[in-house]
Amino acid sequence: MATDHWITLKLDAETGIETIRAHFTGHAYDPHWHDSYLIGITEQGVQQFNCRRQLHNSLPGQAFMLEPGEVHDGNAPAPDGFTYSMLYLQPHWLDAQMRALFEDAPAHCLPGFSHTLACEPALVQHIARAFAALHHQDLRIVRHAALDDLLETLSRTLHWRAPGPEPLRLPSVAIKAREYLHAHVEQDIGLDDLAGATGVDRFRLSRAFKAAYGLAPHAYLVQLRLSLARKLLRQGLTPADVAAALGFADQSHLGRWFRRAYGLSPARYRSHCTNLPDR
């Protein structure tokens, strides 16, 4: 990873929203996903990333929006890099807010984004205002107003999708393997274990899984552990305790993967989210 980068991160205790402002040059981060909705703007440069099987170039004046679980990476194709501001919205918070603000929201559905990039000046403006209000801890009433304006603007972009089982188009072997990984996330799983659980050979399993989820099984397991690591770090667990709980060899092993996915160390992430020092 290029060393010419910086990251500032804040956690809003009231809403659980993380705000991140960062600058990267060269390779920014490896393919990964989040459990949150990602809503942000590119302030400077070109932010290039793969998502939804497409290569996207986010430019200043555009908003980018990703749903929970969507695999994406990050790269700066120009030598001066890119700078972005982003909000991480917890799904339960976004769902509750949208239903409270809009009575016509359908029951038993989840918000979704029709497009990854949007050239909508009003949306970009409200993302910037909400980010500034939360990141700089403005008055509560100012934060609430900024978020309400953002949610109202987002409502024109959102669609509603029904939750449920995996899409029927996905092969059953990939679904079974994913379920096995989630059920044994902290264990030292091998491809032979997955093959035995799904009833196919390792090569067919790996091809089906990557085609379905965009990552090989081993990469998916690492990202699953990293997603859980963020939650545990926000709860105040130390990086060493998190590494032990999730099956990483040690704290250094967790740290290497964490920095590749998120651009900062577990200890730094924990300190920004909890105001607790590493010990």
Side-chain angles (χ1 to χ4, degrees), residues 80-118:
D80 57 348
F82 65 88
T83 307
Y84 70 92
S85 297
M86 183 159 59
L87 299 96
Y88 291 66
L89 309 180
Q90 297 299 319
H92 60 85
W93 179 88
L94 180 60
D95 183 67
Q97 295 298 310
M98 297 300 289
R99 296 186 188 284
L101 291 172
F102 307 105
E103 296 179 355
D104 58 346
H108 308 300
C109 288
L110 299 172
F113 299 131
S114 300
H115 304 286
T116 303
L117 298 179

Side-chain angles (χ1 to χ4, degrees), residues 2-253:
T3 57
D4 184 15
H5 70 265
W6 51 261
I7 298 174
T8 61
L9 184 150
K10 300 285 182 64
L11 175 66
D12 181 67
E14 182 179 14
T15 61
I17 295 174
E18 291 180 28
T19 55
I20 287 184
R21 186 167 184 260
H23 177 81
F24 288 98
T25 57
H27 175 72
Y29 31 80
D30 289 351
H32 66 284
W33 81 81
H34 296 272
D35 290 332
S36 309
Y37 287 87
L38 275 54
I39 300 174
I41 54 175
T42 300
E43 300 179 19
Q44 166 271 322
V46 180
Q47 180 179 188
Q48 190 174 84
F49 62 97
N50 290 280
C51 185
R52 298 188 179 184
R53 305 183 186 279
Q54 294 183 29
L55 179 64
H56 302 276
N57 289 290
S58 177
L59 307 175
Q62 291 182 315
F64 57 88
M65 300 169 290
L66 284 75
E67 298 178 25
E70 290 193 324
V71 177
H72 60 285
D73 55 12
N75 180 59
D80 57 348
F82 65 88
T83 307
Y84 70 92
S85 297
M86 183 159 59
L87 299 96
Y88 291 66
L89 309 180
Q90 297 299 319
H92 60 85
W93 179 88
L94 180 60
D95 183 67
Q97 295 298 310
M98 297 300 289
R99 296 186 188 284
L101 291 172
F102 307 105
E103 296 179 355
D104 58 346
H108 308 300
C109 288
L110 299 172
F113 299 131
S114 300
H115 304 286
T116 303
L117 298 179
C119 298
E120 299 181 23
L123 177 59
V124 171
Q125 182 182 59
H126 287 307
I127 292 173
R129 287 180 179 175
F131 176 89
L134 270 67
H135 200 68
H136 301 295
Q137 284 296 287
D138 213 328
L139 298 172
R140 286 184 69 229
I141 195 169
V142 175
R143 301 201 306 269
H144 292 171
L147 286 172
D148 285 353
D149 288 342
L150 173 59
L151 291 172
E152 184 175 5
T153 308
L154 271 179
S155 69
R156 305 171 198 150
T157 303
L158 287 172
H159 66 271
W160 295 92
R161 54 183 176 81
E166 297 278 6
L168 294 177
R169 61 180 175 80
L170 295 184
S172 61
V173 61
I175 297 174
K176 289 180 181 178
R178 181 177 180 271
E179 291 174 346
Y180 187 92
L181 291 175
H182 279 256
H184 303 83
V185 64
E186 77 288 350
Q187 298 179 14
D188 187 12
I189 301 169
L191 282 176
D192 288 338
D193 299 314
L194 277 182
T198 56
V200 298
D201 64 79
R202 291 164 50 177
F203 301 101
R204 180 183 169 195
L205 165 64
S206 294
R207 287 195 299 268
F209 195 96
K210 189 170 184 178
Y213 299 113
L215 294 172
H218 72 276
Y220 185 94
L221 177 60
V222 170
Q223 296 307 316
L224 177 59
R225 288 180 175 180
L226 292 178
S227 179
L228 294 173
R230 288 173 68 102
K231 293 181 180 179
L232 296 177
L233 291 166
R234 286 198 299 269
Q235 293 170 13
L237 273 69
T238 66
D241 290 339
V242 171
L246 295 178
F248 288 97
D250 52 30
Q251 181 176 338
S252 296
H253 190 212

